C-alpha cells in the first residue's frame, strides 16, 4: 500500500494562468475526493468521484474548476484563469467500498497565485 | 448534519493521556462520530469512529456518552508526534452516502516535553 500521492507538491503560478494537479489514490479504492484548505481553516469539500463518475460538486467549485477521473484510477483537478483567491492547499483523498468516511489523504498540492 | 463544538486548543505533557472533548448535542440516531487529525503540513489522517459504543484501536480510544451528546478522544500516552489539529466530525452512516467530510476548526493539541 503506497498511499495516496499528489503531484506537484508545490505550484507557484501567475494570475490568469491555468494549472493542473494530479492525484493517484490507493489502487483498490473506488472513491476519490478533492478538498481545499486555506490557512488556519479546516479542509473544505470540493467534489468526489465513484469510479469514473463525478457524483457531487460543491458550490465552491466555480466554472473555472474542472475535475476528471477518466478511467476510475488517477484524477486531475484543473483551475483555469487562476485568481489570487485560489491560493490554497488542494487535498485529495480516497476510500474503499462503503467505508465512505474512512478516507486516506494525500500530502496535498500547495498552490500560490501571484 | 449535527454541529460539533471543540475547544480551540489544549496542552498535554508527553507520556500522559490526552483527552480531547467534542460536543455534538444535536446528533441524531444514525449519525456516527469520526475523528481525524492533521499534523502540520500533512493531509488529514483518519483515527477512529463510533456510533454509540466505546471504540479502541491502535491509535486511540473513543468514549461516547450514553446520551451521545458528547464524546472524548483519548490518546493514552501522548508523544511529541501527536501534536496536531484534531477534528471531530459527525456524519450519517449507511450506504448511499457521499462521504463528504465537513471539517470545523478542530482542537490544536500541543504535546509538551
Amino acid at each position: 500500500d503506497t498511499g495516496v500521492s499528489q503531484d506537484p507538491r508545490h505550484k507557484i503560478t501567475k494570475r490568469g494562468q491555468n494549472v493542473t494537479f494530479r492525484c493517484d489514490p490507493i489502487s483498490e479504492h473506488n472513491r476519490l475526493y478533492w478538498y481545499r484548505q486555506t490557512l488556519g481553516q479546516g479542509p473544505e469539500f470540493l467534489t468526489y468521484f465513484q469510479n469514473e463518475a463525478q457524483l457531487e460538486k460543491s458550490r465552491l467549485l466555480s466554472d473555472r474548476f474542472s475535475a476528471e477521473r477518466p478511467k476510475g484510477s488517477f484524477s486531475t483537478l484543473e483551475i483555469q484563469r487562476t485568481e489570487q483567491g485560489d491560493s490554497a492547499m488542494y487535498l485529495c483523498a480516497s476510500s474503499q467500498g462503503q467505508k465512505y468516511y474512512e478516507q486516506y489523504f494525500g500530502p496535498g498540492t500547495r498552490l500560490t497565485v501571484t | 448534519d449535527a454541529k460539533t463544538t471543540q475547544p480551540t486548543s489544549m496542552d498535554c505533557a508527553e507520556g500522559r493521556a490526552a483527552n480531547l472533548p467534542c460536543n455534538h448535542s444535536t446528533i441524531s440516531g444514525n449519525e456516527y462520530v469520526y475523528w481525524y487529525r492533521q499534523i502540520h503540513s500533512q493531509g488529514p489522517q483518519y483515527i477512529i469512529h463510533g456510533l454509540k459504543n466505546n471504540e479502541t484501536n491502535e491509535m486511540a480510544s473513543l468514549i461516547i456518552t450514553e446520551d451521545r451528546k458528547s464524546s472524548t478522544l483519548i490518546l493514552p500516552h501522548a508523544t511529541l508526534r501527536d501534536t496536531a489539529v484534531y477534528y471531530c466530525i459527525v456524519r450519517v452512516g449507511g450506504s448511499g452516502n457521499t462521504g463528504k467530510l465537513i471539517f470545523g476548526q478542530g482542537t490544536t493539541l500541543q504535546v509538551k516535553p
Side-chain angles (χ1 to χ4, degrees), chain A residues 17-31:
Chain A
Q17 297 296 304
N18 299 344
V19 294
T20 300
F21 310 140
R22 177 181 171 121
C23 171
D24 286 89
I26 294 171
S27 59
E28 65 269 24
H29 285 190
N30 61 337
R31 285 200 174 187

Side-chain angles (χ1 to χ4, degrees), chain A residues 9 31 33 35 37 40-45 48 50 56 89 91 98 100-108, chain B residues 34 36 38 41-46 49 87 91-105:
Chain A
R9 294 291 307 277
R31 285 200 174 187
Y33 310 82
Y35 293 83
Q37 185 173 26
Q41 304 297 314
E44 296 173 290
F45 171 83
Y48 89 98
Q50 178 157 309
E56 183 172 339
M89 176 75 83
L91 293 159
Q98 294 193 354
Y100 306 120
Y101 300 112
E102 293 179 43
Q103 296 176 16
Y104 292 79
F105 282 79
Chain B
Y34 285 82
Y36 277 77
Q38 187 171 23
S41 296
Q42 296 183 21
Q45 177 187 23
Y46 165 78
H49 74 279
Y87 297 99
R91 299 300 289 165
V92 174
S95 61
N97 286 293
T98 66
K100 176 169 63 178
L101 291 168
I102 300 175
F103 292 84
Q105 299 282 54

Side-chain angles (χ1 to χ4, degrees), chain B:
Chain B
D1 301 315
K3 178 181 167 60
T4 61
T5 304
Q6 299 178 252
T8 302
S9 64
M10 294 181 63
D11 289 342
C12 177
E14 189 177 19
R16 302 297 294 271
N19 297 281
L20 294 101
C22 179
N23 182 288
H24 31 77
S25 59
T26 61
I27 194 169
S28 59
N30 61 349
E31 289 185 305
Y32 288 70
V33 180
Y34 285 82
W35 283 84
Y36 277 77
R37 73 179 182 183
Q38 187 171 23
I39 295 169
H40 183 62
S41 296
Q42 296 183 21
Q45 177 187 23
Y46 165 78
I47 301 173
I48 198 168
H49 74 279
L51 182 63
K52 54 183 177 181
N53 296 321
N54 298 338
E55 302 288 344
T56 295
N57 63 20
E58 64 279 4
M59 288 184 67
S61 295
L62 174 60
I63 308 298
I64 303 175
T65 58
E66 194 170 342
D67 63 8
R68 303 207 325 118
K69 292 185 177 182
S70 65
S71 61
T72 301
L73 179 75
I74 301 172
L75 308 177
H77 306 286
T79 71
L80 298 179
R81 288 175 295 182
D82 293 319
T83 293
V85 179
Y86 287 78
Y87 297 99
C88 169
I89 300 169
V90 171
R91 299 300 289 165
V92 174
S95 61
N97 286 293
T98 66
K100 176 169 63 178
L101 291 168
I102 300 175
F103 292 84
Q105 299 282 54
T107 297
T108 299
L109 175 69
Q110 181 74 48
V111 180
K112 299 187 172 181

